[in-house]
Amino acid sequence: MTQTNTITINPLPSKTWNWLKMNASTVELREPEQGAQTEFAPAGALTFQDIAGNWPDVETGMGSDLDRFLEPIPGTLADLAAGETMASPALAVFRFAPGATRGSRLLIHAGAGSTLALAVLCGSSAPGASAAALQIKIKADANATVRLYLLQTLDDAATGLIDVGAVCGEGAAFELTRMELGAGRLYAGCLADLAGKGSGFTAQVGYFARTGQRLDMNYVARHRGKRTTCRMDSTGVLAGDAFKLFRGSIDFLPGCAGAKGEEQEDVLLLGEEVTNQTIPLILCGEEDVEGNHGATIGRLDERMLFYLASRGIPAQQARRLLAHARVDALAQRLPQALAEEVRHFMEEHGNEL
């Protein structure tokens, strides 16, 4: 009989008031079986190879429980040698079959002074209930740049756990562009460890949640090196009775003098029954730092709807147009292969408002 595990995921770096029940989440999963169906399309000097080990020194946004859960699963290493620059992104596709819990791991290494670009698609190979876990760990050596484009389009019956962790060396940069579109229950994590002096992290996060969907997200920028920087922006649309919890933490640790961090969220609510929860958290263990956060949360402007109605556009169609515009704005930042996947997804699901 397959064992069921209860794991704790998406923990805040420091607990808030327990009564809010936002400090972390728990999920029950059966032991992971075989991984996803994978396809890798290398570009430039980037290579892919199967490996059995893990990187225990790279923490992720979803936490150590998921590390232990996926430890038996073989992984794939994407490696770029020092000084190499990729003119276009490589592509990695993970498609999860229904009917079981499946896990996959991807390790990314960018050598000193290199520029690595990788587009990752996480989707379902067929409709049906499943649990899909994908963990991505990144090491960016000194003065390296890693650009990760991540698109999730799992089936609505699936539970998704998509986790990212990165350690940046001196002068290194991690740039994340990420979009969440599918999965009935989606848990997303990301932790950027800015260990090296002058390293940086930027995140552009988008999501489109419809009736029956639940999104639980945890983003952490950990400043350890001096004069490190981070910028986290998230933009989303919630429709029907969708639920969303977004944790965004900027953690200034002792010794990170001169560090700067910013986070901003913009949420459009398109249903009377949506649930939106946001935790912008700034932790200061160092005096000489600068941190800012803000959130814009609201419904469609009635004046805008009236204007569109006066031009012959019904309210429901206007809502679709404005929701699509938000999704399209982030899709334009994605490589063509992922942008096409977004277009196909919105053609199938974009009217579910």
Side-chain angles (χ1 to χ4, degrees):
M1 185 175 181
T2 305
Q3 180 181 352
T4 298
N5 301 269
T6 299
I7 63 174
T8 300
I9 55 177
N10 282 348
L12 285 169
S14 180
K15 292 183 178 180
T16 61
W17 297 278
N18 288 327
W19 63 270
L20 291 174
K21 302 185 186 301
M22 297 180 182
N23 289 321
S25 297
T26 58
V27 61
E28 292 190 356
L29 296 171
R30 294 182 178 179
E31 289 289 336
E33 300 180 10
Q34 64 187 31
Q37 302 171 16
T38 57
E39 301 175 24
F40 299 105
L46 185 68
T47 61
F48 292 94
Q49 59 181 314
D50 295 334
I51 60 171
N54 199 352
W55 285 344
D57 55 337
V58 179
E59 298 181 49
T60 62
M62 299 188 75
S64 58
D65 273 14
L66 189 66
D67 257 357
R68 289 189 289 269
F69 182 73
L70 292 177
E71 187 175 4
I73 302 297
T76 300
L77 172 65
D79 190 26
L80 186 65
E84 295 286 351
T85 297
M86 297 174 59
S88 59
L91 178 64
V93 178
F94 296 83
R95 296 200 181 275
F96 293 85
T101 298
R102 306 183 190 278
S104 291
R105 292 189 300 111
L106 177 62
L107 308 180
I108 300 172
H109 173 242
S114 66
T115 299
L116 187 155
L118 180 62
V120 177
L121 172 63
C122 178
S124 297
S125 61
S130 65
L134 173 61
Q135 186 181 66
I136 302 173
K137 290 190 174 186
I138 299 163
K139 283 186 176 181
D141 292 344
N143 299 311
T145 297
V146 174
R147 297 189 178 103
L148 177 64
Y149 306 91
L150 179 54
L151 173 64
Q152 179 272 125
T153 60
L154 290 165
D155 184 74
D156 285 354
T159 295
L161 297 92
I162 318 299
D163 193 21
V164 177
V167 174
C168 296
E170 182 172 345
F174 173 36
E175 302 171 6
L176 173 66
T177 304
R178 183 169 180 175
M179 183 174 287
E180 311 290 356
L181 297 180
R185 287 193 302 161
L186 187 279
Y187 301 92
C190 178
L191 187 152
D193 186 352
L194 303 174
K197 177 181 176 181
S199 58
F201 168 54
T202 60
Q204 295 278 345
V205 181
Y207 52 88
F208 173 53
R210 297 153 285 119
T211 295
Q213 286 187 295
R214 180 183 179 91
L215 279 69
D216 186 310
M217 296 175 279
N218 186 43
Y219 282 75
V220 180
R222 177 187 293 162
H223 293 260
R224 287 199 290 152
K226 293 181 178 180
R227 294 194 293 277
T228 50
T229 60
C230 80
R231 171 81 194 199
M232 296 186 288
D233 292 318
S234 63
T235 302
V237 178
L238 302 178
D241 64 355
F243 171 94
K244 184 231 73 180
L245 168 58
F246 185 89
R247 307 172 185 86
S249 301
I250 301 174
D251 192 0
F252 295 112
L253 298 182
C256 71
K260 296 181 180 181
E262 295 185 49
E263 57 177 312
Q264 179 69 41
E265 185 178 19
D266 187 359
V267 189
L268 176 62
L269 309 179
L270 292 182
E272 297 298 327
E273 300 179 4
V274 300
T275 300
N276 178 71
Q277 298 178 345
T278 300
I279 305 179
L281 182 64
I282 297 179
L283 304 170
C284 288
E286 172 66 47
E287 292 185 1
D288 182 19
V289 296
E290 180 180 332
N292 298 285
H293 64 72
T296 303
I297 301 168
R299 303 183 186 278
L300 288 179
D301 189 333
E302 292 298 324
R303 290 173 297 179
M304 172 67 74
L305 291 176
F306 177 80
Y307 172 81
L308 294 174
S310 70
R311 298 300 188 270
I313 302 175
Q316 188 69 10
Q317 184 179 351
R319 291 187 180 91
R320 293 194 190 103
L321 288 172
L322 294 173
H324 281 235
R326 292 214 169 193
V327 174
D328 290 343
L330 189 59
Q332 291 176 9
R333 301 174 181 267
L334 299 173
Q336 184 176 354
L338 297 189
E340 284 295 312
E341 291 286 340
V342 173
R343 185 178 64 81
H344 292 319
F345 186 95
M346 295 303 293
E347 287 177 353
E348 293 182 6
H349 302 280
N351 292 331
E352 300 174 17
L353 299 176

